[in-house]
Amino acid sequence: MDVFTNETIETMLQHRSVRKYLPKEIPPQLVDTLIRCGQMSASSSLVQAYTIIQVKDPAQRNVLFEVSGKQKWVLSAPLLLLFCCDQNRANKYYPGVDKQVLGFAEQLLIGVIDTALAAQNIALAAESSGLGLTFVGGIRNDTEEIIQAYQLPQFVYPLFAMCIGYPDEKNEQKPRLPMPVILKQDRYTEDEDPELIKEYDHTTCQYYSNRTSGAQNDSWCEHSAQLLLAKTRPNVGKSLRNQGFLQGDDLRS
């Protein structure tokens, strides 16, 4: 099948996580450009409900390193960004806004979506500039620690970090689910999914076996289930409520 492509699409299709970086600084002008690209992402009603913290201080980096399970690339990445959902500006500067409204689940979703869209723009801009990156969701292992260390006010919540640098590795690309499992037509259907996921499990078994020289051969379902059970992070809900989210009347109706 012929596939339409261009330079941007080729960059996107070549994505893979990079966790080892050359000891080379990223020019400040390029960092500014990455952030500007993030700012140009789509935003719900132009709310721009996110804040990005560039982490340079070694002590502040160490907080993320410890909380994330000591992921060493958090310390070694030339550029480390912490992405936060942010409705603090709405709380402080929007006239007549009731805090109860900011506690609605919808406002949390707006912030999470805005943050994710900005981060993906930055990721694409970085990769198209010859940089590599990895997302770090492990910072949610202890969001209260992050909130305290980074002095996050009410209605600001840490979602993930991003490590960026010039690649010092090129991992094999992880296989993705077959497109019919992801792309449905007109309604949600599952008729073909069991067989397609079975085939995908076989593919991922081979991938992990090749990558680990036979030390690991989990299927996608097995691997995902293990991660789901290992990363429940039950304190996230409480931490969100402490920051003012998920307290609106909509959750009691």
Side-chain angles (χ1 to χ4, degrees):
M1 181 178 66
D2 292 334
V3 178
F4 176 83
T5 189
N6 59 37
E7 189 174 346
T8 301
I9 291 173
E10 283 300 313
T11 297
M12 297 173 76
L13 291 177
Q14 289 300 312
H15 168 74
R16 63 204 71 202
S17 294
V18 175
R19 298 179 177 88
K20 289 180 65 178
Y21 310 102
L22 296 171
K24 178 182 178 182
E25 290 301 311
I26 301 172
Q29 299 90 336
L30 178 52
V31 175
D32 288 349
T33 298
L34 297 181
I35 301 304
R36 187 177 296 275
C37 288
Q39 287 191 274
M40 294 309 296
S41 61
S43 172
S44 177
S45 300
L46 200 59
V47 171
Q48 303 165 83
Y50 60 90
T51 288
I52 304 165
I53 300 175
Q54 182 177 353
V55 187
K56 295 182 177 180
D57 186 286
Q60 291 294 81
R61 280 198 178 217
N62 194 63
V63 173
L64 295 178
F65 170 70
E66 293 290 342
V67 169
S68 67
K70 299 187 176 180
Q71 299 182 33
K72 56 187 179 182
W73 36 92
V74 171
L75 298 179
S76 63
L79 176 61
L80 177 61
L81 302 176
L82 176 63
F83 289 81
C84 302
C85 161
D86 189 344
Q87 292 288 7
N88 175 56
R89 289 185 288 271
N91 181 43
K92 292 185 68 175
Y93 303 113
Y94 292 4
V97 169
D98 187 339
K99 285 188 178 183
Q100 275 287 336
V101 174
L102 293 177
F104 281 17
E106 170 66 3
Q107 303 311 313
L108 174 60
L109 286 177
I110 286 173
V112 170
I113 293 168
D114 272 12
T115 307
L117 291 173
Q120 188 56 44
N121 259 28
I122 290 173
L124 178 56
E127 291 180 329
S128 69
S129 302
L131 297 166
L133 60 100
T134 189
F135 287 87
V136 182
I139 66 148
R140 296 191 303 278
N141 290 335
D142 189 347
T143 48
E144 287 294 339
E145 179 70 20
I146 305 297
I147 289 164
Q148 293 299 318
Y150 286 83
Q151 301 177 16
L152 304 185
Q154 282 273 287
F155 298 110
V156 178
Y157 196 79
L159 297 177
F160 51 83
M162 185 190 295
C163 299
I164 307 176
Y166 292 97
D168 194 23
E169 66 175 359
K170 187 172 183 179
N171 294 320
E172 184 181 351
Q173 197 172 41
K174 288 183 179 179
R176 266 36 179 189
L177 281 163
M179 191 179 295
V181 176
I182 297 297
L183 178 64
K184 308 297 182 182
Q185 301 296 332
D186 297 321
R187 60 187 58 82
Y188 194 103
T189 58
E190 298 182 81
D191 296 345
E192 299 179 17
D193 289 3
E195 188 59 35
L196 290 172
I197 290 176
K198 182 179 179 181
E199 294 174 4
Y200 182 61
D201 271 347
H202 178 69
T203 299
T204 52
C205 278
Q206 290 183 316
Y207 166 80
Y208 284 118
S209 180
N210 292 338
R211 182 171 174 175
T212 63
S213 299
Q216 178 185 346
N217 62 352
D218 296 336
S219 70
W220 174 71
C221 288
E222 291 169 336
H223 186 69
S224 299
Q226 291 167 8
L227 292 178
L228 181 65
L229 294 174
K231 300 179 179 180
T232 56
R233 295 171 183 148
N235 292 325
V236 166
K238 179 181 177 182
S239 180
L240 279 166
R241 290 188 292 274
N242 287 343
Q243 288 300 100
F245 294 105
L246 299 179
Q247 295 192 32
D249 291 336
D250 63 324
L251 299 174
R252 292 184 282 274
S253 61

